[in-house]
């Protein structure tokens, strides 16, 4: 439990490093029209930025569709199947991007189920399944795949300076532990 709590706490705070880091976020979706969003930042123009999924696991989980967006919501690129971003971890329906150059700035990466593609060139255009009644993945027959697909997703980012997953909802015990830690820090600062 402590390990899970510490992992959740780590996901609450932005991850940053002096140099670009390899960052991983994982979680589960519930419905066929859920969309996971990962925000990331490049402090400087970068080369060889990679963002990818490795959660399909040859059919264990749902087939992901990924998209890369600028902070203003403009679509940069969308991908269905690209298992070549990190062949060591990806399987045939995994998805992602290798970007030879990417300008400094804020971006976000989305993961949805196949074939819940972005409807247009801006995030405000929504996704194909937005107006559909939500179907639990256990009950959904995913196109070009099968029914009862797993709910797990895993996203990796390489070459970015910081990243956050605003979709993560911490467990109540994690929030309490974080609150206690912040109170302790405030008390320590006051005593100093």
């Amino acid at each position: 439990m402590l390990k899970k709590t510490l992992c959740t706490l780590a996901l609450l705070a932005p991850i940053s490093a002096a140099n670009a880091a390899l960052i991983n976020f994982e979680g589960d979706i519930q419905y066929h029209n859920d969309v996971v969003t990962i925000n990331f930042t490049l402090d400087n123009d970068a080369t060889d930025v990679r963002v990818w999924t490795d959660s399909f696991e040859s059919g264990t989980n749902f087939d992901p569709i990924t998209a890369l967006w600028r902070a203003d919501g403009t679509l940069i690129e969308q991908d269905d199947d690209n298992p070549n971003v990190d062949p060591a971890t990806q399987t045939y329906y995994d998805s992602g991007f290798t970007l030879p150059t990417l300008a400094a700035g804020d971006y976000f990466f989305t993961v949805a189920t196949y074939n819940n593609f972005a409807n247009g060139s801006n995030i405000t255009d929504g996704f194909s399944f937005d107006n559909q009644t939500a179907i639990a993945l256990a009950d959904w027959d995913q196109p070009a795949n099968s029914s009862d697909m797993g709910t797990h997703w895993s996203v990796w980012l390489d070459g970015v300076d910081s990243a956050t997953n605003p979709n993560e909802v911490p467990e109540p015990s994690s929030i309490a532990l974080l609150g206690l830690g912040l109170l302790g820090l405030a008390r320590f600062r006051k005593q100093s």
Side-chain angles (χ1 to χ4, degrees):
M1 177 65 179
L2 179 59
K3 183 177 179 183
K4 185 174 183 179
T5 301
L6 291 174
C7 288
T8 302
L9 286 173
L11 290 175
L12 288 174
I15 298 170
S16 62
N19 296 321
L22 182 62
I23 300 169
N24 175 237
F25 292 104
E26 297 181 281
D28 289 280
I29 64 170
Q30 191 170 3
Y31 300 106
H32 83 298
N33 54 0
D34 288 343
V35 177
V36 176
T37 303
I38 307 293
N39 296 323
F40 68 93
T41 299
L42 296 174
D43 294 335
N44 300 295
D45 292 353
T47 58
D48 299 323
V49 173
R50 298 182 305 150
V51 290
W52 73 94
T53 66
D54 69 344
S55 49
F56 181 67
E57 297 178 358
S58 296
T60 301
N61 296 298
F62 68 91
D63 176 4
I65 295 298
T66 58
L68 182 62
W69 310 81
R70 291 183 179 82
D72 68 359
T74 305
L75 180 65
I76 296 171
E77 192 171 348
Q78 187 165 216
D79 183 61
D80 178 8
D81 301 328
N82 183 0
N84 300 314
V85 179
D86 188 33
T89 63
Q90 292 182 288
T91 59
Y92 52 96
Y93 283 160
D94 275 306
S95 180
F97 308 95
T98 299
L99 305 153
T101 60
L102 195 59
D106 295 320
Y107 299 88
F108 61 99
F109 180 71
T110 57
V111 180
T113 60
Y114 178 82
N115 56 358
N116 190 14
F117 288 100
N119 284 332
S121 60
N122 197 288
I123 192 73
T124 58
D125 297 328
F127 290 82
S128 299
F129 297 168
D130 283 353
N131 295 321
Q132 295 181 6
T133 301
I135 303 169
L137 284 192
D139 301 326
W140 184 51
D141 187 8
Q142 185 176 27
N145 208 353
S146 62
S147 60
D148 193 20
M149 298 306 299
T151 61
H152 186 70
W153 59 267
S154 173
V155 169
W156 290 89
L157 300 100
D158 186 21
V160 306
D161 293 299
S162 63
T164 59
N165 176 7
N167 293 117
E168 282 296 317
V169 178
E171 296 175 17
S173 61
S174 300
I175 293 171
L177 185 59
L178 178 62
L180 289 174
L182 292 174
L183 285 173
L185 179 61
R187 185 179 213 176
F188 174 76
R189 286 184 142 184
K190 187 175 183 180
Q191 288 175 352
S192 298

